[in-house]
Amino acid sequence: MNVADKFGPDHTGLVAGPLVAGLLVLLARRSGLSWHDLGLSRRTFVPGLKYAIGAILAVAVVYAIGVALPLTRPAFHDVRYHLHPSAALMTAFIVVPLGTVLLEEIAFRGVLLGLINRHRGAVWASVTSSVLFGLWHILPSLRLNQANAAVGSVFGSGSAGRILAVVGAVAFTALAGVLLCELRRRSGSLLAAAALHWATNGLGLLVAAALATTSFA
């Protein structure tokens, strides 16, 4: 799925992502996992929604501070997100949630976390899910040092910089995976982790797209 999304036709993940996510849920149910094990129980929807709203607001505040400070503003300068406003909105509200967040949350914080938690316990589940989530981001981060101005300035734009940027991206997303697993555990709902995941990606994309057309004195 990762390779197909990277090298296949545009928006492959938008079609294949939901299909693969649905298949994973079917396999998990056939393996004996309950809806609660998957974080999809109706009983935890309201707690999950509360955490979800809080997560989105928290990310929005952090991004607002990041944009306001000249020191951190370059982190949002990413050529991958120099998009027309309509394209940015479509990517943030359709492509990201359906093509990225849905599959990754179902796979890593839903099915994988539920299966390993059943057989090995919560700690093993969180660690394994998070490490694999980090490794999942090797392919998407291969050009990160060239696309993102802040990353390029820290690691450099050459081959060594590319390797360091990928290692950094894997480590960062693995740590983010731990946070997402904890949010999923505390809320009992996949909705909470999905909201934080979307806010990080979707709001970040919108901010980067807006900064690409804005000049600061």
Side-chain angles (χ1 to χ4, degrees), residues 23-212:
L23 177 61
L24 288 174
V25 170
L26 288 176
L27 291 173
R29 293 286 290 165
R30 287 180 62 87
S31 298
L33 292 187
S34 66
W35 293 116
H36 182 74
D37 292 330
L38 293 171
L40 298 173
S41 171
R42 287 180 294 179
R43 292 185 289 109
T44 57
F45 176 78
V46 172
L49 182 61
K50 292 178 180 178
Y51 273 92
I53 294 171
I56 293 173
L57 292 176
V59 172
V61 170
V62 170
Y63 281 174
I65 295 172
V67 171
L69 298 176
L71 180 65
T72 53
R73 193 179 302 140
F76 298 95
H77 294 163
D78 196 312
V79 298
R80 295 172 298 177
Y81 304 137
H82 289 186
L83 303 172
H84 186 275
S86 61
L89 290 171
M90 176 180 175
T91 303
F93 291 105
I94 296 178
V95 177
V96 169
L98 294 181
T100 300
V101 174
L102 177 63
L103 173 60
E104 292 182 2
E105 291 307 317
I106 289 291
F108 293 102
R109 261 72 62 181
V111 176
L112 188 61
L113 193 73
L115 283 171
I116 300 176
N117 182 57
R118 167 167 291 193
H119 296 287
R120 305 286 275 178
V123 174
W124 269 102
S126 180
V127 170
T128 305
S129 169
S130 300
V131 169
L132 291 177
F133 185 60
L135 295 175
W136 172 268
H137 286 81
I138 290 177
L139 203 56
S141 62
L142 288 179
R143 292 184 59 252
L144 184 60
N145 66 321
Q146 297 174 348
N148 187 285
V151 174
S153 67
V154 172
F155 296 113
S157 57
S159 299
R162 173 181 291 188
I163 294 172
L164 291 173
V166 170
V167 172
V170 169
F172 178 81
T173 49
L175 289 174
V178 174
L179 175 61
L180 291 168
C181 286
E182 181 62 15
L183 191 60
R184 153 83 168 83
R185 185 188 70 80
R186 286 179 177 272
S187 67
S189 173
L190 205 58
L191 180 62
L196 178 58
H197 193 164
W198 173 80
T200 304
N201 291 13
L203 292 182
L205 183 151
L206 292 174
V207 170
L211 285 179

